[in-house]
Amino acid sequence: MKSVRVWLTVLLCGVLWISVSSCFNASPAYISTSKTRNIHLIVKMNKGDYWNTLKLGAEAAAKEFNVNLTFKAPDSESDIEEQVVMVEDSIQEKADVIILAASSYMGLAQVVDQAAYSRIPVISVDAEVGSAKVRTYVGSNGYEAGQKSAERLIQLLQGYGEIGIINFTNSSLTPDSGKTGSIDYGARDADEREKGFLNYAARFPNVKVVQIAYTSSSTSDAENLTREMLNKYPQLRGIATLNEIASQGAARVIQGLDRDSVKMIAFDSSPSMMESLQDDTVQATVIQNPFSNGYLAVKYAVEALEGMDIPERVDTGTKLIDLENMLWPENQKLLFPFVR
Amino acid sequence: MNKPRGYFFPLRPGSRKSGRLRLSSKLRSIQLIIMLTFMAVTAAVAVIVSVMLYGKFANTAEENANLNMQQIIEQVNYNLELYVKGMGSIFATAEKQITSTPSIDSPLLYERMDTLMSSREDLVSVAVFTPQGQYVVGTPGQTMRMNTGLESQSWFTTAKHTSEISYSAPHIQNLFKGRYTWVVSISKLIQYRENGELRTGVLLLDFNFRTIDELSKQVKLGKRGYAYILDPLGNIVYHPQQQLIYAGLKYENVEPVLEYAYRSYLDESTGEKRFITVRTLAQTGWKIVGVAYYDEIVTTKRDLNQFLAWFLGVVLVCVIAVSVFLSWLIASPIRKLERTVKQVAEGDLNTPINVSGAYEVEQLSRRFNMMLQRIRQLMEQIIYEQETKRKGELEVLQSQINPHFLYNTLNSVIRLAERGKTDEVVTMIQSLSRFFRISLSKGKNIITIQEELDHIRHYLVIQSFRFRNKFRYEITAQEEVLECQTIKLILQPIVENALYHGIEMMPDEGLISITAGLQDGLIIIRVSDNGLGMSKETVNGILSGSVKSTSGSGVGVRNVHERIGLYYGREYGLAFQSELEEGTVVTIVFPARPAGEAMDEQKEETNL
């Protein structure tokens, strides 16, 4: 009887203590920043304003959520092997999360599976990768972006004429033969944009896509390709470029050209592209949201580590920018990263 | 029987049948009541005091934090005001230089503009436009872009509408070649001369965010708190997470901020409690907004919280310990008392009650002890009174012996007188007279053994006339015995017994011998006869009174035994030894007391 009473008293005290302490220490509603997390961000290339802005976004999030961000990128967008090696290194270094913009849809699938096997969550940014183990994809809809580009170009051409496309990182790296490859080694975003463009253009019988050129990741290469294309198809009335490097190269060639007849729809919003837009060298550009991509990728990475539910796919959207709407306040904010 | 009693006396710790009742009596124990009450009261006081202290401190902390934050924002406001004033004065300088120059395209103005530009790092560009949007003059070395759309830009339109200096919202400077930069534009309609002709134009100064940034970045409102700047339309001029807000990833609830120029309030629109402080810059109408997170402001509050939680915990533990101890201290003597009383109730009146503890309990135990003593006394008195009563009865019995004997004796005397035996009649009457004298002994109960032996001798003399030639007798006594005390008339019933039952039926002559002796301080008187003797059952039955002889003298022997027991104690009395056809020996044993020592009477006095 006595011992029962003692135990009852102890129990009572315990319950009292718990209830008192639970009143005082309610858990905070925001993500905990007390722990430093190692997140590795591996993108396609270490050059270009696009990736820079994406990195800025990732850094903003890293600062906010107390993340130790490691940024890695190969020199060239087509250097798939190096990117694979980088992912492997990150697995070795026991990153908490790997955020990956895959240069190749299938080329990085295996290494992503490997990361998942090591219990490292992988988040895709910008370009998807062919693995079911990826936790989430943060980026824009490439197909839609391609369609927007095609729609504006065909509108500018009044629905007829020859069109050339300059794309990047093709599956086989040899132009015009990519369609037969049984394994898709191209970057997913490039493929999607191209598909979107071609599918839209196919609705117009008078519009003919005469060539799809694939550039590696250098402006000069893109310039050469553009020149070749213009020489080969003198009747060319429109050019669509599907990434930043290609756009910069093509814009430079067209600017040097005296003929006003070639219309161009570019991709992404580097400052030089804005200049070309203002000069009317380029009539419009399809922009993505690299800052948001970087920020959200890191944010979801942290949330995944916290064990929260994260969406399977996050579309950060695309927008078509032309001379008219580039100075609208809301577009200014998208186009020009607020760099200090 | 148990149940109704339990019902009528619920406080009696009697009914141990049902567990529920036992538990409730456990719950009603003094210890538990004291413990719980003490605990409850102290805990309540501790909690109330803590809560009040907490409220008071928390309020003060909150107020201080709030005040502190307001001061910081005030400071930022002041610095920015200075900065904006500086911008205004630069603008005024530029304006003065332009208006005072005789011709707008003079090289001197170019030079001055150049100096002005290089003097300030945050100055991006200076330019004058015609009201139609044509470029007139500007920072040396800059070339206009195409398609600027400046006519529709806000700095241009507002300058054309008012004559005041206007500050634009942050926007992209797209007028000149080079980098696209985010700037704040200051513009005003001014007068300038071109080739001696007075014209109007729009003067534009673009400032980048460097200084505003630096001024605002210093603001630290806790770990996560920050400050941001809004223009009067709600556009964000500066925000530490400007890019995130521009990208639509973050959201700042600016509507309540815009409504007031000077305000502090608590905002919960983001789900988190945040303190918002708003101040407004006089010149530009910009609003400086400080945001501090409530849970950070109240870190002191949380610390206090934790401390109080610990404090409460420790206090509660102490209170529990103290109350357990205290209640034990109070309850244990009472419980001990209860146990003792229970023992007493069970019949052990000699239980000593010595409970120490609280004064009241001690008093209670003492009073109880006294009560117990009194009870014992009263009981002894009752016993004594009972015994005296019985003694009286015995004395009555004792006196009843006499008439029977007298009648027999007088018959014998008559017979002797009829036969003319005068001598024998005289002897007989003499003996009778002495016999009665000793029997009465002036009402005394105690006589000497000498007297007792005389008494029995007279009796035997008388009886020897009745039972002529039927028996002989001898009486021997030690000298020292003779002066000892005895209760009177103890021998006569025994001898009478021996005569009537032992010798009367005998065919031969019987012998009755009486010896009195002293042994170990005890007087031992033996009355032996050689009569018929008694069976074992009869011997055993005599003293318990189960054997009744027809003449009634059996009672007499028992009376002797009981009287000795009453006077001298139960261990003294008669003992019988008898053998059929052999005779009987009756032994009387009682303590020897010299004559003149009326102990019994004295003892009786004190007992009363």
Side-chain angles (χ1 to χ4, degrees), chain A residues 224-239:
Chain A
N224 291 338
L225 282 174
T226 314
R227 261 188 222 106
E228 273 172 34
M229 197 186 279
L230 285 170
N231 289 341
K232 200 167 165 190
Y233 304 97
Q235 296 302 309
L236 202 69
R237 294 187 66 220
I239 290 180

Side-chain angles (χ1 to χ4, degrees), chain A residues 8-55:
Chain A
L8 272 176
T9 315
V10 168
L11 196 77
L12 195 82
C13 291
V15 167
L16 204 75
W17 180 249
I18 287 164
S19 59
V20 164
S21 54
S22 67
C23 284
F24 286 118
N25 302 321
S27 62
Y30 53 91
I31 297 170
S32 160
T33 54
S34 55
K35 201 169 55 190
T36 309
R37 302 173 181 85
N38 287 310
I39 294 180
H40 288 214
L41 172 63
I42 301 168
V43 300
K44 291 182 184 176
M45 194 166 52
N46 55 15
K47 298 186 287 243
D49 288 304
Y50 183 84
W51 298 114
N52 236 338
T53 312
L54 190 140
K55 189 180 159 193

Side-chain angles (χ1 to χ4, degrees), chain A residues 1 5 13 16-17 24 30 64 271 274-275 278-279 291-292 295-296 323 327 332-333 336-338 340, chain B residues 145-148 171-172 174 180 182 213 224 239 241-244 246-247 249-250 305 309 313 316 320:
Chain A
M1 209 62 196
R5 200 165 58 185
C13 291
L16 204 75
W17 180 249
F24 286 118
Y30 53 91
E64 188 174 336
M274 291 301 113
E275 254 167 81
Q278 211 173 353
D279 292 348
F291 188 90
S292 296
Y295 180 86
L296 287 178
L323 182 61
L327 285 181
Q332 276 187 15
K333 291 168 185 175
F336 305 97
F338 199 90
R340 300 185 190 116
Chain B
R145 290 180 199 273
M146 300 157 63
N147 308 320
T148 54
H171 66 108
I172 280 290
N174 68 337
Y180 285 93
W182 283 92
D213 246 24
R224 296 193 295 144
H239 194 289
Q241 291 183 312
Q242 201 148 0
Q243 184 67 34
L244 292 175
Y246 282 177
L249 298 171
K250 288 266 156 134
N305 234 329
L316 282 183
I320 287 165

